[in-house]
Each structure stands twice: as structure tokens, then as C-alpha cells.
Amino acid sequence: MSQADMNQDKRAGSPLIEVSHVSKCFGEHQVLTDVTADFNAGEVAVIVGASGSGKSTFLRMLNRLERHDAGRIVIDGIEVDDDRQRLEALRKEVGMVFQQFNLYPNMTVMGNLTLAPIRLQGKSREEAESTARANLERVGLAHKADEYPQNLSGGQQQRVAIARALAMQPRVMLFDEPTSALDPEMVKEVLDVMRQLADSGMTMLVVTHEMGFAREVADRVLFFDDDRIAFEAPPADFFGGRHDNARVKAFLSRVAH
């Protein structure tokens, strides 16, 4: 199947994620205004924009780490709100990887990966450990299962964080600038894991400043500016200048240096 056919297949059917007229304020500060976007199963959407443009807030609203003030968010048929049952269902559907690794320092890598599946999904320890080992293999860290986080490099800790998110077997993975806290030499190992996830068909929304990753992996690039989605396009058009959006061109000229 060609890349064009794959992209067309991703756009077929109902969206997996539906965001309709969503707005968000922090006090008097308007963070997002009337944001509407759909994302399909298997799609990799990369979100870019200047600091403070609402990118991370948008991502955090998708799994209810931030409440939206207006509008509607639906993920795989689940309304994103404060209903306890729906929230529990949502957290099983959506995995998130943050800038900081947020691993439990008093637990081994295996302990970090099995905690949520055992407590939240009711899995047996044997089943949870089997899934954990498979996901550690997936991120290239099967040999680190019994290590503690402090004995790992930053890149290894972030890969463990990805494996931990995968342990819940989510349909959607959210990445909030997952390489921004890493030393430059560790960035590639994390991006390589994310590329493998994208190739496997995982639905991914990624906030990042890694323009090379966006150009190579994204199906669509969304540019946040002035608290809204100001522009979106396939990466060939977004980065190839096949548009007349001056704000995008100015942004790209800054991040290119």
C-alpha cells in the first residue's frame, strides 16, 4: 500500500478523537479559543507553535488533566468530562508521556510498569509482568527490568515512561515535548521509539520542537498561534512552503536556527 493510500485509509470512517469548539482560560488569560479538530485512528498529528500558544494545554485536556471551559471532547465514543466511570474508561484509552519522566524512584522499572495494570485493570501480576516485558522489549530495554530509575540515563528513563504508558494498552498516545528535558545525544533514542510506534499504527498526538521528526513521521502538522489552531497541513506542504501563511513561515525561520 502506498503512503497516499495509507493516509486515505486513516481518514476513512468516524474520527477517533473529536474536539468541538473548545475553549480554556486560566483566570483572565485566554489559553485556547474555539478549537475544533478531528483525529483519525492510526493518524500521527504533530502540534507545533511558540511557547505559550496552548499546545500542551490542548493535549492535557484530551485526558482531563485540564478541564475545558466550553465545547466538547469525545475520544472513542467517550465524553471527556468529570463523570467517574467515563474518566476511568478514558484513562484506559489514552496514554500520556510528559517532558519529565515521572517514574516512581522507589520502584524498579518492572514495578513502574506493572503498578497501574494491576491496580486499575485488575490484571494478575503474571499477566502484567508479561505485558511489561513485551513493552520493554519494544523500547529496547528488556535488560533493564530490575533496575531503579536513578540508574538509567535520561533517554532510558523516557523510554521506560513510554513503555509504562503502553502497559495500559491505550488506543491513543499523547506526547508532550518528550525530548525537551533530554541531553541532545539522548534525543534520537526516544524519537526512534516514537517512529516505531507510528509505524505500528498507533494513534499519536505529539507536541514537539523536533521539526525533523514532524517532517518525517507526521500525517498532519497543526500550528497553534494566538490561542487557536491557526494553520494545518500535511508536512510536505507545511515545511515545503506550499502556502502563504506568514506566521508559519516566521515560526519555521526561527526554529530552523
Side-chain angles (χ1 to χ4, degrees), residues 4-253:
D5 291 336
M6 290 175 65
N7 290 343
Q8 184 174 356
D9 186 58
K10 290 175 181 178
R11 292 190 291 268
S14 300
L16 181 62
I17 302 171
E18 301 172 75
V19 180
S20 304
H21 304 290
V22 164
S23 296
K24 172 69 179 178
C25 291
F26 290 121
E28 298 295 316
H29 178 53
Q30 188 77 29
V31 182
L32 293 169
T33 303
D34 196 31
V35 172
T36 295
D38 291 339
F39 304 91
N40 296 314
E43 181 176 9
V44 179
V46 172
I47 299 169
V48 302
S51 297
S53 58
K55 308 182 302 296
S56 293
T57 299
F58 175 75
L59 218 61
R60 291 170 64 85
M61 289 193 304
L62 296 180
N63 66 352
R64 205 59 173 174
L65 292 179
E66 296 287 355
R67 292 176 172 84
H68 48 289
D69 299 325
R72 188 168 183 250
I73 302 173
V74 179
I75 298 179
D76 198 19
I78 303 168
E79 181 92 24
V80 180
D81 57 21
D82 287 328
D83 179 87
R84 190 182 190 89
Q85 286 187 320
R86 285 196 287 267
L87 195 56
E88 288 180 359
L90 177 73
R91 294 284 163 77
K92 294 174 183 176
E93 294 274 316
V94 182
M96 189 162 184
V97 178
F98 302 87
Q99 297 177 35
Q100 302 299 327
F101 321 125
N102 297 326
L103 300 175
Y104 297 110
N106 61 325
M107 292 184 177
T108 64
V109 166
M110 181 59 69
N112 270 275
L113 266 66
T114 56
L115 181 65
I118 291 171
R119 288 193 178 178
L120 301 181
Q121 293 182 321
K123 289 186 176 181
S124 67
R125 180 166 298 280
E126 182 180 23
E127 184 182 6
E129 288 186 353
S130 176
T131 300
R133 292 188 191 283
N135 284 315
L136 285 173
E137 185 75 38
R138 197 172 183 181
V139 302
L141 291 173
H143 60 297
K144 298 292 186 181
D146 298 322
E147 294 280 1
Y148 284 87
Q150 62 264 31
N151 296 327
L152 304 178
S153 70
Q156 289 172 334
Q157 289 187 60
Q158 191 63 295
R159 283 189 282 157
V160 170
I162 293 172
R164 182 177 61 179
L166 291 172
M168 295 291 285
Q169 299 177 303
R171 291 202 66 193
V172 179
M173 285 284 285
L174 310 176
F175 294 86
D176 186 9
E177 300 194 24
T179 60
S180 65
L182 299 178
D183 293 333
E185 64 270 19
M186 297 177 185
V187 169
K188 182 180 181 300
E189 64 190 65
V190 173
L191 292 181
D192 283 347
V193 168
M194 293 170 65
R195 288 186 182 94
Q196 292 167 18
L197 283 179
D199 289 343
S200 75
M202 175 65 73
T203 306
M204 297 167 56
L205 275 67
V206 184
V207 172
T208 186
H209 294 292
E210 299 291 340
M211 296 300 120
F213 175 85
R215 188 190 298 265
E216 177 188 345
V217 178
D219 297 303
R220 180 165 44 132
V221 182
L222 294 87
F223 175 65
F224 274 57
D225 188 46
D226 288 337
D227 58 69
R228 67 195 70 221
I229 299 173
F231 184 74
E232 62 177 278
D237 296 340
F238 189 91
F239 294 104
R242 300 173 191 170
H243 56 79
D244 57 1
N245 191 301
R247 297 296 291 269
V248 171
K249 291 181 178 179
F251 169 76
L252 290 176
S253 71

